[in-house]
Amino acid sequence: MDDRNTGPGLAVVTGASSGIGYELARLMAEDGYALVLAADRPLDEAREGLEASGAQVETLEVDLATKEGVDALVARIGDRPVAILAANAGHGLGRGFLDQDFDEVLHVINTNVTGTVRLAQQVGRRMREAGEGRILFTGSIAGFMPGAFQAVYNASKAFLDSFSFALRNELKDSGVVVTCLMPGVTDTEFFERAGLMDTQVGQDDKKMHPAKVARIGYEALKRCDGDVVAGLKNKLQAAAAAVTPQTLLAERHRKMAEPGSGGEAP
């Protein structure tokens, strides 16, 4: 049993090497939480930045698309109660579905869906038993529309958005809060990793800053909100998607994500 002082508790953040995950970790550190950070990329820079501000940080470089990766993170948590789980790990994949390598397709599904729900179940059971805890899923407004040339990613986010609402309802009398953060286009490494830099959406120069997105999500979690769409423009897009035919939404997404739609990649 780890008996170190963890202030208000332990926060576990996945996908925390950069972007929204790192910014969520920074906000939780400011509130005094001890941190366990996990990502499939090196976390040295993230750890050093957070420790410089006085935070207590543990890191684990692990692939959360795998059962072994999730089990390793659960083992690192050990017997310590988790006050917050920020299930933020995820990545995308551009190009047409039939042109994608299927191993890469599976990795998107296993990261965004399988690994996320596997971790949420294990940590969520402990929270329910304790009668308290908060889970923040990073979903996306992409889950509201068919993602032509990003079909698997958008479908995975549709799953996660739906899953979070259902889990919140199941846990409504348990003391465990579930919140879904649904950002739009955010200025992170997502587009480079997904091979979307030659697309209109990849070259969009009006992406939201991840620090702003993270703060919106974290404040919603602290208020115990069920969901929050980050940014006015994204709120309008989400509202419009609810009343727009799916075929039209798919065509709009095609214009944003079709290879070459943004000209040459920078």
Side-chain angles (χ1 to χ4, degrees):
M1 179 73 175
D2 191 318
D3 58 0
R4 288 174 292 178
N5 178 21
T6 56
L10 182 68
V12 177
V13 186
T14 67
S17 59
S18 63
I20 296 171
Y22 173 79
E23 296 296 342
L24 284 168
R26 185 178 59 80
L27 292 170
M28 293 171 193
E30 289 176 358
D31 280 350
Y33 287 93
L35 300 171
V36 172
L37 310 182
D40 63 357
R41 291 192 166 194
L43 285 150
D44 294 345
E45 187 175 345
R47 184 186 66 248
E48 291 169 4
L50 293 165
E51 286 180 340
S53 65
Q56 178 184 312
V57 185
E58 299 172 55
T59 61
L60 183 65
E61 186 177 342
V62 66
D63 187 356
L64 294 173
T66 67
K67 179 180 184 298
E68 294 76 15
V70 174
D71 288 347
L73 177 53
V74 172
R76 177 61 63 90
I77 295 168
D79 293 332
R80 291 173 289 178
V82 177
I84 298 176
L85 169 62
N88 173 76
H91 68 93
L93 187 62
R95 305 295 187 262
F97 171 69
L98 297 183
D99 300 317
Q100 294 169 345
D101 180 273
F102 198 69
D103 286 341
E104 294 182 358
V105 169
L106 282 179
H107 198 266
V108 171
I109 295 170
N110 288 335
T111 302
N112 298 4
V113 177
T114 310
T116 297
V117 299
R118 188 189 301 276
L119 179 62
Q121 187 179 66
Q122 294 197 51
V123 175
R125 282 173 172 169
R126 297 183 183 187
M127 289 180 172
R128 184 179 63 180
E129 183 177 351
E132 60 181 352
R134 301 187 185 208
I135 301 173
L136 177 66
F137 291 105
T138 301
S140 176
I141 66 167
F144 298 149
M145 63 191 75
F149 293 97
Q150 215 177 336
V152 173
Y153 173 77
N154 283 39
S156 73
K157 290 300 182 177
F159 173 95
L160 199 58
D161 292 348
S162 175
F163 175 77
S164 67
F165 287 116
L167 183 60
R168 177 181 173 87
N169 181 266
E170 290 180 7
L171 294 173
K172 66 179 182 178
D173 299 318
S174 69
V176 181
V177 174
V178 178
T179 300
C180 187
L181 167 61
M182 293 179 283
V185 180
T186 306
D187 189 11
T188 69
E189 297 175 354
F190 172 89
F191 300 95
E192 183 176 356
R193 292 189 70 182
L196 290 163
M197 293 306 294
D198 65 340
T199 66
Q200 185 182 114
V201 67
Q203 295 191 29
D204 185 350
D205 61 0
K206 296 181 180 179
K207 299 181 180 75
M208 284 189 70
H209 194 283
K212 183 175 182 180
V213 174
R215 183 169 293 279
I216 290 170
Y218 186 48
E219 293 298 330
L221 181 69
K222 291 198 290 186
R223 292 192 304 266
C224 302
D225 292 348
D227 66 287
V228 62
V229 174
L232 177 59
K233 177 182 176 182
N234 295 324
K235 290 180 188 293
L236 294 174
Q237 288 182 344
V243 295
T244 302
Q246 296 290 295
T247 52
L248 182 56
L249 289 174
E251 186 62 29
R252 288 179 180 174
H253 199 280
R254 179 189 188 109
K255 292 176 181 178
M256 296 189 298
E258 186 172 11
S261 61
E264 292 296 325

